[in-house]
């Protein structure tokens, strides 16, 4: 039995660059998406075929959920490139971890296939993209000064000098709150990446242990649970990304002191 | 056997974690800057493929379809309006035509009645003319006949008188007698 380590295993090197088993899974996902995309492109039409109808059905459901978070279809469509990609990619790579051979096929004594999200590098990079994108959207939508003033509330402090000691006191507290906001932005990256990594990694370990204890039928219910976990984790990551995007692209409610 | 394996595996995992902890917490978790950039690029590729090959065309088509449905619904409304309007117009025209037709019929009737009356009057006049003419002809014939009768009666009287008298009267007496006789005859006639 080979219990996966926290770090992904490097299978081989291309030049100087290491290729890990999780990267193989990401490439697999890329190939699958590429095939679906190319197939879809050929048959795409206003009158949908079976495949287009099937994907559109899921997309419609997804857009409905997105609308609940953003509260506006226009905003949803603006965030769809990021949120939609995150959702479908996490979902597919989570479910790819359930295909037979993951964990059991070895290459040079190491797992050849390992669920992509059991690699903290990937989850961190996605979380970074999600948080950085939310800030970029915020900068563009609400303006540079307004956006930065959410974190470094110098502007509020300067304005408060004209309004008396009470306003200055409040402004100082707001400056402190701004620092906490900065820390919470970092925590966003940490929580997003560790949540996804932890869940999928734990699932992978569980599956490995279960299938090594009793190979037949016993892991099946756990596999079903993993299907569910894969979907839920994809949804959670996406919804949180959307929440960050929505919050940072909303004008802060200015209270005049 | 398996449990022993698990125990060994967990030990080896711990050992790996311990050795990794030498490189810091990040390294023990498997974070590696090169791999991080790799995965970032991988994710960018995935996102690009998903967006440009799947999501964008799909949402475009969906929006297109939505627009088409909206347009057709609007068109249906327009068509229905047009239909209602043309039906109304049709009905108006029909009503107008009916009114005109009844007017024409009425006029025709009136004209027919007038024509009938005119024809009757004309016929009456013509008949009257004919009657008059016939009357005149009859009168002329009657006059002619009377003249003829008068002439032949005179001759007859002369002959009879000649025969009765056996001899010719003097011409003056003769004429007196004749004219007398003719006067009488004329009165009688």
């Amino acid at each position: 039995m080979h219990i996966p380590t926290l770090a992904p295993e490097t299978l081989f090197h291309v030049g100087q660059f290491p290729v890990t088993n999780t990267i193989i899974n990401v490439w697999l996902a890329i190939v699958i998406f590429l095939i679906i995309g190319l197939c879809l492109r050929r048959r795409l039409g206003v009158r949908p075929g079976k495949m287009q109808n099937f994907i559109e059905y899921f997309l419609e459901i997804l857009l409905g959920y997105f609308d609940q978070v953003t509260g506006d279809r226009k905003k949803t469509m603006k965030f769809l490139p990021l949120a939609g990609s995150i959702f479908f990619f996490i979902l597919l790579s989570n479910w790819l971890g359930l295909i037979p051979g993951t964990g059991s096929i070895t290459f040079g004594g190491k797992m050849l296939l390992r669920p992509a999200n059991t690699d903290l590098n990937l989850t961190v990079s996605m979380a970074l993209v999600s948080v950085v994108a939310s800030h970029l959207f915020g900068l563009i939508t609400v303006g540079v000064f307004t956006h930065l003033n959410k974190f470094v509330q110098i502007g509020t402090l300067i304005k408060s000098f004209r309004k008396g000691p009470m306003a200055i006191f409040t402004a100082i507290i707001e400056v402190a709150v701004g620092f906490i906001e900065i820390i919470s932005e970092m925590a966003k990256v940490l929580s997003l990446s560790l949540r996804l990594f932890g869940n999928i990694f734990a699932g992978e370990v569980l599956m490995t242990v279960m299938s090594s204890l009793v190979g037949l039928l016993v892991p099946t219910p756990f596999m079903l649970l993993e299907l569910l976990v894969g979907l839920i984790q994809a949804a959670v990551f996406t919804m949180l990304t959307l929440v960050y995007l929505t919050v940072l692209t909303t004008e802060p409610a200015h209270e005049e002191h | 056997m398996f449990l022993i394996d698990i125990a060994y595996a967990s030990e080896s995992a711990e050992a790996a974690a311990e050795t990794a902890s030498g490189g810091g917490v990040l390294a023990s978790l498997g974070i590696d800057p090169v791999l991080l950039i790799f995965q970032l690029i991988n994710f960018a590729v995935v996102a690009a493929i998903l967006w440009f090959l799947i999501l964008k065309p799909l949402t475009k088509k969906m929006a297109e379809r939505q627009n088409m449905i909206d347009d057709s619904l609007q068109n249906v409304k327009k068509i229905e309006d047009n239909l209602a309007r043309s039906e109304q117009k049709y009905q108006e025209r029909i009503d107008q035509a009916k009114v005109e037709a009844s007017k024409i019929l009425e006029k025709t009737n009136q004209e027919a009645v007038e024509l009938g009356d005119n024809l009757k009057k004309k016929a009456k006049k013509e008949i009257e003319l004919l009657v008059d003419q016939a009357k005149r002809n009859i009168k002329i014939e009657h006059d002619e006949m009377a003249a003829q009768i008068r002439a032949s009666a005179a001759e007859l009287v002369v002959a009879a008188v000649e025969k009765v008298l056996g001899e010719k009267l003097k011409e003056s007496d003769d004429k007196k007698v004749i004219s007398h006789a003719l006067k009488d005859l004329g009165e009688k006639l």
Side-chain angles (χ1 to χ4, degrees):
Chain A
M1 187 175 64
H2 181 83
I3 288 184
T5 53
L6 281 175
E9 292 140 315
T10 307
L11 296 176
F12 54 89
H13 285 80
V14 177
Q16 284 184 334
F17 304 113
V19 176
T20 62
N21 42 16
T22 48
I23 286 180
I24 299 282
N25 256 42
V26 177
W27 287 349
L28 206 60
I30 289 175
V31 170
I32 290 171
F33 280 133
L34 202 64
I35 291 168
I36 292 175
L38 291 175
C39 284
L40 197 67
R41 208 175 165 186
R42 224 180 294 155
R43 293 172 199 168
L44 207 63
V46 179
R47 204 174 291 169
K50 276 180 188 171
M51 187 181 171
Q52 192 185 340
N53 224 341
F54 183 75
I55 301 172
E56 272 185 19
Y57 171 73
F58 285 107
L59 195 60
E60 279 284 350
I61 294 175
L62 199 68
L63 288 176
Y65 281 115
F66 283 9
D67 283 347
Q68 283 179 12
V69 179
T70 58
D72 180 18
R73 182 48 74 96
K74 260 189 190 169
K75 262 190 174 177
T76 304
M77 294 314 286
K78 207 164 79 177
F79 300 150
L80 186 68
L82 181 66
S85 304
I86 285 178
F87 178 77
F88 284 112
F89 175 53
I90 295 180
L91 187 68
L92 181 71
S93 46
N94 285 352
W95 285 355
L96 273 180
L98 295 172
I99 57 167
T102 306
S104 55
I105 300 175
T106 50
F107 178 85
K110 293 164 185 168
M111 289 161 74
L112 178 65
L113 296 169
R114 175 174 159 162
N117 289 318
T118 59
D119 182 355
L120 205 53
N121 292 305
L122 179 65
T123 57
V124 167
S125 62
M126 279 195 295
L128 274 173
V129 168
S130 142
V131 173
V132 169
S134 69
H135 281 273
L136 287 178
F137 271 110
L139 281 171
I140 295 164
T141 316
V142 298
V144 178
F145 180 75
T146 319
H147 182 75
L148 291 180
N149 200 43
K150 283 178 184 171
F151 305 101
V152 187
Q153 306 210 5
I154 304 282
T156 321
L157 191 65
I158 293 167
K159 275 181 197 166
S160 70
F161 285 130
R162 292 180 214 146
K163 292 173 188 165
M166 199 57 207
I168 295 171
F169 182 66
T170 319
I172 290 169
I173 292 174
E174 277 180 359
V175 169
V177 170
F179 281 119
I180 297 172
E181 285 285 335
I182 294 170
I183 294 166
S184 85
E185 289 306 307
M186 292 171 187
K188 275 180 188 177
V189 180
L190 210 64
S191 71
L192 269 181
S193 56
L194 282 177
R195 182 186 305 109
L196 182 60
F197 168 76
N199 275 288
I200 306 306
F201 184 75
E204 183 57 23
V205 172
L206 179 72
M207 293 302 300
T208 315
V209 172
M210 278 300 149
S211 48
S212 62
L213 281 175
V214 186
L216 196 69
L217 288 174
V218 174
T220 316
F222 293 98
M223 285 186 96
L224 289 174
L225 273 177
E226 278 308 301
L227 269 180
L228 205 62
V229 169
L231 177 67
I232 290 168
Q233 287 311 314
V236 166
F237 198 108
T238 314
M239 288 300 163
L240 282 173
T241 304
L242 270 179
V243 169
Y244 299 155
L245 284 163
T246 312
V247 168
L248 290 182
T249 50
T250 312
E251 293 270 356
H254 276 293
E255 286 175 39
E256 288 301 324
H257 301 290
Chain B
M1 182 71 183
F2 286 124
L3 288 174
I4 294 166
D5 273 350
I6 293 170
Y8 274 128
S10 62
E11 268 177 26
S12 64
E14 269 173 32
E18 272 169 24
T19 49
S21 67
V25 185
L26 288 180
S28 72
L29 285 169
I31 298 266
D32 178 74
V34 179
L35 283 176
L36 191 76
I37 290 163
F38 260 38
Q39 295 288 29
L40 210 60
I41 294 165
N42 278 335
F43 177 68
V45 172
V46 170
I49 287 174
L50 259 166
W51 177 240
F52 288 110
L53 279 181
I54 302 176
L55 295 176
K56 195 182 176 187
L58 268 182
T59 47
K60 211 175 156 188
K61 282 286 166 213
M62 279 157 81
E64 218 173 278
R65 192 178 311 132
Q66 190 67 42
N67 284 340
M68 268 175 81
I69 290 169
D70 288 349
D71 284 353
S72 7
L73 283 178
Q74 268 182 347
N75 280 343
V76 165
K77 237 183 205 176
K78 266 187 204 166
I79 289 164
E80 273 178 358
D81 283 353
N82 278 344
L83 190 68
R85 220 177 297 149
S86 43
E87 265 180 7
Q88 206 182 330
K89 266 189 186 170
Y90 170 77
Q91 202 56 43
E92 274 172 15
R93 285 269 170 88
I94 289 275
D95 289 347
Q96 210 178 331
K98 272 183 188 169
V99 169
E100 274 176 18
S102 63
K103 265 186 197 169
I104 288 167
L105 271 176
E106 213 174 295
K107 208 178 166 187
T108 319
N109 269 340
Q110 218 175 326
E111 276 178 2
V113 169
E114 270 175 24
L115 194 67
D117 285 353
N118 283 345
L119 282 173
K120 265 186 204 167
K121 275 180 196 167
K122 216 176 168 186
K124 218 176 176 180
K125 265 185 192 171
E126 274 181 13
I127 288 166
E128 274 171 5
L129 266 174
L130 279 174
V131 168
D132 275 358
Q133 215 170 355
K135 271 183 185 168
R136 247 179 279 148
N137 283 347
I138 288 167
K139 208 185 172 187
I140 289 165
E141 272 176 23
H142 178 265
D143 289 351
E144 273 178 5
M145 267 173 70
Q148 266 181 357
I149 287 168
R150 230 177 273 158
S152 50
E155 275 173 22
L156 209 63
V157 167
V158 171
V161 169
E162 269 179 5
K163 226 168 193 187
V164 168
L165 293 176
E167 60 183 19
K168 275 191 184 177
L169 294 172
K170 281 187 230 171
E171 209 173 319
S172 61
D173 296 337
D174 195 19
K175 272 182 184 173
K176 256 183 203 171
V177 172
I178 289 166
S179 68
H180 196 73
L182 279 172
K183 224 178 202 176
D184 281 354
L185 203 63
E187 277 168 10
K188 275 175 193 172
L189 277 167

